[in-house]
């Protein structure tokens, strides 16, 4: 068991979100589902029998998803960063997570549940580690992108 587990608070869409997330990432699974009983459904305002809490893994990382009602909303102040090896992987992950959501700048997006994600290439550190003025060119190109295009950043790094 890992020591720190992120908990994602949804209004009432935890099951839908977890099903999406576990379908996007390999080595992912739903590990448990708890449902509201009569007493906690009455207190929470959630329907009896609906999903209350789910535990799941994404690429081996444990998460919890809670249907806690509309009290709290997600913010980009905390995001989940996905490191992708290839452009095809970026395209696949970006497409699945951005569907019905909002594309943002520099590889960031908010999915249809409001969770913020950063979809980044594994090579980003190397691309941003080139000497000036190539480094500035990489940053300038990246700042113009929504979904990251590795080839464009490589071109900028190479001059």
């Amino acid at each position: 068991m890992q020591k720190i587990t992120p908990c994602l608070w949804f209004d009432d869409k935890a099951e839908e979100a977890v099903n999406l997330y576990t379908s996007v990432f390999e080595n992912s699974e739903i590990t448990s589902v708890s449902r509201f009983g009569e007493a906690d459904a009455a207190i929470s305002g959630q329907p009896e029998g609906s999903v209350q809490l789910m535990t799941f893994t994404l690429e081996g990382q444990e998460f919890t998803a809670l249907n806690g009602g509309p009290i709290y909303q997600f913010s980009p102040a905390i995001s989940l960063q996905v490191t992708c090896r290839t452009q095809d992987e970026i395209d696949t992950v970006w497409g699945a997570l951005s569907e019905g959501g909002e594309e943002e700048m520099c590889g960031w997006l908010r999915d249809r549940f409001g969770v913020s994600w950063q979809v980044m290439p594994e090579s980003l550190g190397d691309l941003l580690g080139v000497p000036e003025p190539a480094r500035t060119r990489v940053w300038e190109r990246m700042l113009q992108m929504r979904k990251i295009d590795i080839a464009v950043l490589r071109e900028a790094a190479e001059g």
Side-chain angles (χ1 to χ4, degrees), residues 3-158:
K3 192 164 191 92
I4 299 172
T5 302
C7 179
L8 305 174
W9 179 301
F10 296 88
D11 180 357
D12 61 358
K13 301 282 188 220
E15 184 172 24
E16 186 180 340
V18 169
N19 286 334
L20 171 65
Y21 303 157
T22 56
S23 75
V24 170
F25 299 101
E26 295 180 17
N27 189 29
S28 300
E29 66 178 336
I30 297 168
T31 53
S32 71
V33 179
S34 299
R35 299 190 177 275
F36 284 101
E38 184 179 345
D40 48 357
I43 292 168
S44 69
Q46 300 286 350
E48 184 177 347
S50 66
V51 169
Q52 179 182 41
L53 191 69
M54 298 179 78
T55 58
F56 62 104
T57 61
L58 300 179
E59 296 289 350
Q61 168 77 40
E62 294 176 9
F63 289 84
T64 301
L66 167 71
N67 278 330
I71 299 167
Y72 300 112
Q73 302 297 311
F74 291 110
S75 157
I78 293 183
S79 61
L80 302 177
Q81 186 170 337
V82 181
T83 304
C84 299
R85 290 188 175 178
T86 65
Q87 188 64 50
D88 285 343
E89 187 179 4
I90 288 173
D91 295 345
T92 298
V93 170
W94 184 271
L97 294 176
S98 66
E99 185 177 331
E102 183 179 336
E103 296 182 358
E104 297 177 355
M105 301 304 294
C106 301
W108 287 61
L109 64 87
R110 262 193 261 192
D111 67 25
R112 66 181 176 256
F113 310 104
V115 176
S116 291
W117 297 82
Q118 298 176 57
V119 183
M120 298 290 151
E122 184 178 73
S123 59
L124 186 60
D126 292 337
L127 292 166
L128 292 172
V130 297
E132 292 296 348
R135 183 172 169 265
T136 297
R137 286 193 306 267
V138 172
W139 271 112
E140 287 173 346
R141 297 271 172 77
M142 194 167 93
L143 291 171
Q144 297 170 2
M145 296 179 184
R146 291 190 184 277
K147 179 179 70 174
I148 299 296
D149 185 324
I150 298 171
V152 170
L153 295 182
R154 242 187 228 125
E155 180 184 298
E158 293 168 1

